[in-house]
Structures are given as structure tokens and as C-alpha cells.
């Protein structure tokens, strides 16, 4: 079964109709993630693999646009993409039922434990100068987490910041996991074995980097290097978007919820996620490849 656009995603931040005039090129790469799931990390890996070098003049956050976002005028975005002569790699947070499917292009679908995305989004919202996402900073971590865990997902509304929206994104891609140009990666695997993850993405892009280039890419995309060189890696760095460009990366930690949330908070989450997904999918979405998952054969 081939994916098809069945849902319109439109809100203050996203607008999936911005894809309507997009003209694909053979080999285009789409980095498809829920927010705060390793998007910027994956953009950097793709950039260095595609260019075959890790020089500072490559600024992944500037040359890999977020096509769905309303912030950049659409004509400017299309002009930038049209002028690019390298293999293009484009960011999207839209579920697969809201974007076009091009069999000649490559889709990298990256996920993270949804509980970690909740914590990461709070930090992201707090660092944004405009206050546009201040509504995601519910007074306490517990209250915000419980709201996020229980809020229902409404088709077409991917901006609600909810567990249900994260799960729907995963399901929209997982439904088509058999497609040869759709590749799944997990944030936890990237943290456990970054070199292996970089090599896996190279294989998905049908690239054959040397061992030396793999080593260079791993060093360049380490959390420490990306944080220290936020002007190169952070999207919109130097454009007065963030209170601190370096804090875009914050600490890269996982499982902060273990020490912060109560047993009742986590029990509520467990009840909710089990109502949305089967156990194998939950195990993979939480842990990546170390979990027995339906995706293990990919």
C-alpha cells in the first residue's frame, strides 16, 4: 500500500499545504520526526555524510529547511531549495498522512521515548524569545505531563503537544514500514552507538563513507561539539530566536522523568500509552533496537 495525503495539518506554526508546490528531485532526503526527537542531530549527520566532510562552513540548520513551518516565507524557501546543487535534505514534523510520498526520495523517520520529548519541549519553549510556545509551560512538571499524556489527538491538529500526536506520527510511518525508501532510527540507539547510527543512516542514503569520514562525523555530531558550536548547528542561530543558542541543545539527557515524576504520573502515562499502542511498539518507541519490536526485521 502506497502512502497518500489524507489529512490537512494546519495551525499557528505548521501548514502542510506548503508542500503543494514542492518539486522533488531524485534522491531528496526527508527527515521525518515528531518534535524534540533528534531532528537537528539527524540533519547534521545527513549534512556531513552528503557533503563528505565536516567543515565549519556547512551549517545544517541553515541549509536544511523546515518545509512545514510558517515562519519562512514560502517563496524564499522554494527559491533556496531550487538554488541548492547538493543533495537536498529537508525537515518535516508532519505525519506521513499529511505530506506527499515520492518513491524516488529517502525518508528517515526518527523517534524518541515520548516521555523524553515532553521534558525536552519544556526546555525548548522556555528558551524561545517570542514566548510563542509559553502555553506548553504548564505550571508544574506533573500537571503539564498529565495534561500532555491524556490530551486526545485530533486529526489535522499536530500542534497540540500531546502523547497522542506523537503516537499518531509513529503510526503513520509504521503503517508503511515495508517501503524500501522508509528507514527507522531511534534516539536511544544514536546515544548508545552513535557510530553505528551514522553508518546506518549512510546506508539508508546509499552512501559509502570511509572509516575516517565516519570517525569525523561522529566527532562533529557529538552532543558536546554541537552545543559548543551552536552557531553552526542550531536552527535560526544568530537570528535572535533563542535566548541562548547553546541552550537549544540543553543537556541531551534521557529518562529525567524517572527522578522527577511521581508513580501516579507514570502509571497514568502507562495506562494511556497502552491504550494507544501494542506492547511491541511501545517497547521499540521507548528503547529502540534493544527492545523486541515489530520493526526488528527492517
Amino acid at each position: 500500500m502506497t502512502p497518500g495525503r489524507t489529512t490537512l495539518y494546519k495551525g499557528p506554526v505548521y501548514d502542510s499545504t506548503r508542500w503543494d508546490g514542492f518539486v522533488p528531485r531524485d534522491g531528496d532526503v526527508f527527515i521525518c520526526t515528531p518534535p524534540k526527537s533528534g531532528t537537528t542531530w539527524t540533519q547534521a549527520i545527513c549534512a556531513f555524510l552528503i557533503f563528505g566532510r565536516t567543515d565549519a562552513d556547512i551549517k545544517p540548520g541553515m541549509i536544511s529547511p523546515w518545509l512545514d513551518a510558517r515562519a519562512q516565507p514560502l517563496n524564499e524557501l522554494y527559491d533556496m531549495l531550487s538554488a541548492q546543487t547538493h543533495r537536498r535534505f529537508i525537515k518535516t514534523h508532519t505525519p506521513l498522512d499529511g505530506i506527499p510520498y515520492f518513491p524516488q526520495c529517502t525518508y528517515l523517520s526518527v523517534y524518541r521515548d515520548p516521555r523524553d520529548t515532553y521534558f525536552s519541549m519544556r526546555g525548548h519553549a522556555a528558551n524561545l524569545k517570542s514566548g510563542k510556545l509559553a502555553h506548553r509551560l504548564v505550571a508544574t512538571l506533573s500537571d503539564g505531563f498529565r495534561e500532555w499524556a491524556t490530551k486526545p489527538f485530533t486529526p489535522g491538529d499536530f500542534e497540540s503537544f500531546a502523547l497522542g500526536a506523537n503516537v499518531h506520527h509513529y503510526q503513520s510511518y509504521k503503517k508503511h514500514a515495508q517501503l524500501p525508501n522508509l528507514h527507522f532510527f531511534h534516539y536511544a540507539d544514536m546515544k548508545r552507538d552513535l557510530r553505528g547510527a551514522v553508518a546506518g543512516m549512510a546506508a539508508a542514503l546509499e552512501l559509502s563513507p570511509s572509516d575516517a569520514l565516519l570517525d569525523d562525523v561522529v566527532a562533529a555530531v557529538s552532543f558536546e561539539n554541537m552545543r559548543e558550536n551552536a552557531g553552526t548547528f542550531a536552527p535560526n542561530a544568530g537570528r535572535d530566536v533563542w535566548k541562548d543558542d547553546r541552550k537549544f541543545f540543553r543537556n541531551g539527557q534521557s529518562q529525567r522523568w524517572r527522578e522527577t515524576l511521581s508513580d501516579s504520573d507514570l502509571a497514568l502515562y502507562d495506562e494511556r500509552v497502552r491504550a494507544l499502542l501494542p506492547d511491541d511498539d511501545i517497547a521499540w518507541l521507548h528503547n529502540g533496537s534493544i527492545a523486541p519490536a515489530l520493526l526488528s526485521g527492517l
Side-chain angles (χ1 to χ4, degrees):
M1 180 172 57
T2 301
R5 297 175 71 188
T6 59
T7 306
L8 173 65
Y9 291 88
K10 203 166 187 176
V13 179
Y14 303 169
D15 182 356
S16 63
T17 66
R18 289 168 61 90
W19 285 86
D20 291 351
F22 177 75
V23 179
R25 294 178 187 166
D26 290 359
D28 277 346
V29 181
F30 304 123
I31 297 166
C32 313
T33 69
K36 312 312 297 176
S37 297
T39 318
T40 303
W41 204 1
T42 306
Q43 286 173 291
I45 293 170
C46 286
F48 296 143
L49 288 172
I50 287 170
F51 281 87
R53 55 190 177 88
T54 59
D55 298 359
D57 65 301
I58 302 172
K59 297 183 182 294
M62 301 297 182
I63 62 175
S64 174
W66 178 8
L67 204 154
D68 320 295
R70 291 175 175 271
Q72 183 176 6
L74 191 56
N75 62 323
E76 291 182 9
L77 184 146
Y78 280 154
D79 286 347
M80 181 183 75
L81 287 174
S82 179
Q84 289 182 348
T85 57
H86 61 265
R87 186 176 180 184
R88 304 181 303 185
F89 49 109
I90 298 162
K91 160 185 171 178
T92 177
H93 287 319
T94 302
L96 189 54
D97 59 9
I99 63 174
Y101 171 72
F102 305 110
Q104 72 273 33
C105 300
T106 300
Y107 294 73
L108 304 182
S109 194
V110 186
Y111 294 93
R112 186 181 187 185
D113 186 324
R115 293 164 291 192
D116 289 326
T117 70
Y118 168 74
F119 279 84
S120 184
M121 180 57 80
R122 283 186 67 98
H124 180 80
N127 191 37
L128 194 64
K129 276 192 173 184
S130 69
K132 187 179 293 185
L133 301 181
H135 59 285
R136 295 179 177 177
L137 294 169
V138 176
T140 70
L141 279 169
S142 176
D143 289 344
F145 182 81
R146 295 174 79 90
E147 178 183 297
W148 167 84
T150 56
K151 185 184 297 182
F153 171 70
T154 302
D157 178 14
F158 195 65
E159 295 185 26
S160 61
F161 184 46
L163 169 63
N166 190 304
V167 167
H168 176 76
H169 188 287
Y170 168 72
Q171 290 174 316
S172 74
Y173 286 86
K174 170 67 190 313
K175 180 179 180 180
H176 301 283
Q178 79 286 352
L179 292 171
N181 61 333
L182 190 77
H183 306 273
F184 290 82
F185 295 90
H186 199 284
Y187 191 96
D189 292 325
M190 294 165 73
K191 289 198 70 173
R192 277 190 293 264
D193 178 11
L194 182 53
R195 195 177 197 279
V198 172
M201 289 185 187
L205 299 177
E206 298 184 346
L207 299 173
S208 301
S210 66
D211 287 342
L213 178 58
L214 281 178
D215 290 340
D216 288 347
V217 173
V218 169
V221 302
S222 69
F223 173 79
E224 293 76 16
N225 188 65
M226 292 182 70
R227 181 182 172 89
E228 289 306 312
N229 295 280
T232 294
F233 294 103
N236 294 306
R239 296 180 177 175
D240 208 33
V241 172
W242 312 109
K243 295 175 183 176
D244 185 340
D245 288 344
R246 293 174 75 253
K247 285 186 178 179
F248 179 86
F249 299 101
R250 299 190 69 81
N251 53 30
Q253 291 181 352
S254 297
Q255 301 192 354
R256 286 180 56 205
W257 44 268
R258 289 190 182 277
E259 301 173 354
T260 308
L261 298 174
S262 69
D263 289 344
S264 63
D265 292 335
L266 294 174
L268 176 67
Y269 168 85
D270 187 64
E271 177 183 356
R272 176 63 174 155
V273 77
R274 289 181 182 279
L276 296 172
L277 286 172
D279 288 347
D280 280 349
D281 281 339
I282 294 170
W284 188 84
L285 197 56
H286 284 173
N287 303 299
S289 64
I290 65 169
L294 295 179
L295 293 175
S296 61
L298 292 179

